[in-house]
Amino acid sequence: MRDPAPLGAAGAADAALARYLLRFAGSAEPPRPHHLHGAVSAWLGDEEEDALSPHNGPAKAWSAWWTPQTDGGVLEVGVARPALAQRLLRRARDDGRLRLGEAVLTLREASAGPDSAAPWTRLVCEPGSAPRLLAVRYLTATTLRHGKSTTPWVDPGSLFVSLAARWNTLAPAGIPRLEATPAERATLWVSRVAGRTEVLRLANQRIVPGFVGEVTYRGDEEVVLARFASLLRMAEYLGAGARTTYGFGRMRLL
């Protein structure tokens, strides 16, 4: 198992999002969302470092997803801050186990995933460079907040607001803020959708619906489309929508 590469304080030029794969051996049912959240939070939390704590701040700086396999499974964790990447791999290595409810799995390997790192500077899409059609595959249930409720309808306007809030909170100095007025967001729309609603149950028995499948977005204004494309690039590392630390919102651009 490889140790994390040295990572220090980063500015806009070298700050990067990262995605790691942790492979575990053992027998376990697909984890409940709160079990997944609790296990990764235990590795990433640190009360003495409030700025990095996964329980503080308006936007989570990490996300986690689980892929079951015949013997165990793969935990994929995306992080927005280099210090969190260091902490994740160090504590996972020291612990050597993953507790998912009653199941305890053994760490087999921890490594960088495909396209494992992306500088924030590379995420920024310039007007005119984004394709008119942005196809997204939602790999795990993806849900958006709608007041006090959640919805599986991943419409581009609401998705833009959700992702921009995370971007504008987590992006380092020197990276442009991404915003759009309601009228500008209305220039983004869905041109194709194929998928289903998947319902998951949280610890408090709350039912949360999410979308799984493919959506193709179209934009009529190049500037707005470029901002949206930038946000979707970030979402490949941190997820889309709400509750991404509970296994929701894993996605890939096609």
Side-chain angles (χ1 to χ4, degrees):
M1 180 176 64
R2 77 183 65 156
D3 290 334
L7 296 169
D14 55 357
L17 297 95
R19 187 167 56 239
Y20 290 91
L21 302 178
L22 291 81
R23 303 178 189 279
F24 291 87
S27 177
E29 297 293 324
R32 296 281 299 277
H34 59 284
H35 291 156
L36 182 65
H37 174 82
V40 182
S41 290
W43 287 335
L44 293 179
D46 192 332
E47 294 181 357
E48 296 181 358
E49 297 186 46
D50 291 342
L52 292 179
S53 173
H55 299 294
N56 293 324
K60 297 295 188 292
W62 62 279
S63 295
W65 305 283
W66 178 258
T67 302
Q69 295 186 330
T70 303
D71 176 24
V74 177
L75 174 65
E76 182 176 351
V77 182
V79 292
R81 297 173 178 173
L84 278 180
Q86 286 183 309
R87 183 182 298 171
L88 170 72
L89 296 186
R90 183 180 70 249
R91 291 185 174 176
R93 177 196 61 202
D94 292 344
D95 191 342
R97 295 172 295 176
L98 179 69
R99 297 167 180 81
L100 298 174
E102 298 297 324
V104 179
L105 293 87
T106 303
L107 180 64
R108 177 181 293 165
E109 178 188 14
S111 62
D115 301 319
S116 59
W120 283 89
T121 50
R122 200 174 79 197
L123 301 180
V124 179
C125 184
E126 297 297 332
S129 63
R132 283 290 182 183
L133 298 177
L134 295 169
V136 177
R137 177 175 295 148
Y138 293 98
L139 301 167
T140 64
T142 301
T143 189
L144 293 174
R145 297 189 190 280
H146 186 73
K148 294 183 179 180
S149 301
T150 52
T151 174
W153 179 233
V154 283
D155 75 276
S158 298
L159 186 59
F160 190 108
V161 172
S162 173
L163 292 175
R166 207 170 193 183
W167 175 289
N168 293 333
T169 299
L170 298 175
I175 297 299
R177 290 178 61 85
L178 296 180
E179 298 172 333
T181 65
E184 288 174 328
R185 295 195 299 271
T187 66
L188 300 168
W189 47 283
V190 172
S191 67
R192 181 181 179 276
V193 60
R196 68 184 190 279
T197 297
E198 185 173 299
V199 176
L200 299 178
R201 190 182 300 273
L202 301 184
N204 58 5
Q205 301 303 307
R206 181 181 178 185
I207 298 297
V208 178
F211 176 82
V212 177
E214 295 183 10
V215 179
T216 299
Y217 301 104
R218 188 181 182 100
D220 297 327
E221 298 291 338
E222 287 187 352
V223 171
V224 181
L225 185 64
R227 294 171 188 167
F228 189 48
S230 301
L231 295 173
L232 292 175
R233 290 176 178 179
M234 177 193 69
E236 289 194 281
Y237 291 86
L238 297 182
R243 300 189 180 280
T244 57
T245 60
Y246 287 78
F248 288 76
R250 181 169 175 251
M251 56 78 74
R252 293 287 181 268
L253 281 165
L254 300 178

